[in-house]
Amino acid sequence: MSRTLLVKFTETDTLYWSWRWQDTPDEVEAGRLKPEFVAGLRQALAQFLPEPHEAEDGDAALQRALTESLLATPDGSLQLGQALGQALFAVEMVAQLRAERDRGSRPRLRIQPSPTTARVPWALVRIGPELEPLISLVNLEFAPPAALTVSARTTNHRGKTVVAVIDPRVPGAAPTSALGSVLGRPAENDPLAQLLRHGALLRPEAENYLGLARRRDLDRAWLREQLADAARFLYVGHATSGETADAGASAALHLAGAAPHVPVTAAELVRDRWQLPPRCALIACGSASELRDLEPMGLTLAALSCGAELVTATSWRLPTDAAIAFFGEAATDRQPLRELVLAVDTAHEFDDPVLALADWQRERLRAWEASGSIIDTPLVWAAAVSYTRGGRTKQSEE
């Protein structure tokens, strides 16, 4: 069995990290990054994120990130990955990871991020003098704050259904508005029609993709009832967070239902004791962004608090397939956002979903380095991260 390397980041103005192998708990190493380097790291990360700066609107932010930032080219992403690796990985840690590789092992790297490092595109980090991709040496998973792991509810998961909420129609939102469609007009031959392979286990029941996507009837009451006895939850749609001090608690999933529209917040999930299934996928803008806060709470941590054992979510705002085609003037049948949805859904079918998703991201990194095409942009595939309570997550029916 492969080993697990535990890395914890904490910060004030200075960024500290500690690391140890899980099987040698007494051998702990530590280091720090000076305030001026932390400020530089934050500035570099903000430059590539497709999230608006003060003078930008959403379209301008996407165009900057997709066509002008470090992540617009493989050379730029290599430059960013090298800088991140040099800042965040001690020489000794790199040497030990390479030693594991030389023994034919790929360890699990379990990271508990701080507010700054929660924004890092970990799948692009390069380490060592040869600038090896971090994900070629390890399988990445992420840890919630220790207090959540202790307080999270334990549940007796017995259901086998897969609850799939795919681009729901938010009441009062036009298709092209801020809470409009993230996938565009559904077609029967849409690549996401592959979700129908779940057959009789799929909720809602649907004969074709037109009966699954852009539904008007999947409201909070329906969702809560379905999740209470499900094995998996796949959400593709809108996630938002507020601008107030309790922005994490007000982070919300937007569902269908009757007007006026009231989204389901992280605070509601915890307060009303929703029961979430063992494996959850939240493919929505910034659905895993709450670790950026010093006192984190948001949709991913709420799901873990409510029974989930693994949550795959996204660290920043995701470009849609339409945006990638527009800004890249791409003439192709490929649709990167849909590819991400299907990759996560497939990974969650495996005994080890962390490994399955890591294998897909390694494949995507190779494609990005080979093509440099916007179709292979890491702004989509590198956004996906998996948070777990710890240890391997087994299928509920096993």
Side-chain angles (χ1 to χ4, degrees), residues 212-229:
L212 182 62
R214 298 294 289 159
R215 291 183 65 134
R216 302 177 183 271
D217 58 339
L218 307 187
D219 60 12
R220 67 200 311 116
W222 177 89
L223 182 62
R224 184 171 185 176
E225 179 182 1
Q226 295 298 323
L227 293 181
D229 192 33

Side-chain angles (χ1 to χ4, degrees), residues 302-327:
L304 291 169
S305 295
C306 293
E309 296 166 0
L310 173 140
V311 179
T312 300
T314 55
S315 293
W316 52 74
R317 184 184 179 212
L318 288 170
T320 64
D321 291 330
I324 291 172
F326 178 80
F327 291 118

Side-chain angles (χ1 to χ4, degrees), residues 14-35:
T14 301
L15 178 66
Y16 299 90
W17 70 86
S18 62
W19 58 277
R20 66 174 177 84
W21 292 97
Q22 191 170 37
D23 56 357
T24 56
D26 296 330
E27 299 177 13
V28 181
E29 302 288 343
R32 69 185 180 97
L33 198 61
K34 295 180 180 180

Side-chain angles (χ1 to χ4, degrees), residues 187-243:
E188 194 164 343
N189 63 346
D190 192 287
L192 292 185
Q194 294 181 49
L195 296 173
L196 298 170
R197 72 181 185 277
H198 296 301
L201 297 178
L202 186 65
R203 301 291 185 274
E205 297 177 359
E207 295 182 357
N208 53 44
Y209 183 69
L210 298 178
L212 182 62
R214 298 294 289 159
R215 291 183 65 134
R216 302 177 183 271
D217 58 339
L218 307 187
D219 60 12
R220 67 200 311 116
W222 177 89
L223 182 62
R224 184 171 185 176
E225 179 182 1
Q226 295 298 323
L227 293 181
D229 192 33
R232 292 175 44 201
F233 176 36
L234 171 64
Y235 175 86
V236 183
H238 288 286
T240 57
S241 60
E243 303 296 331

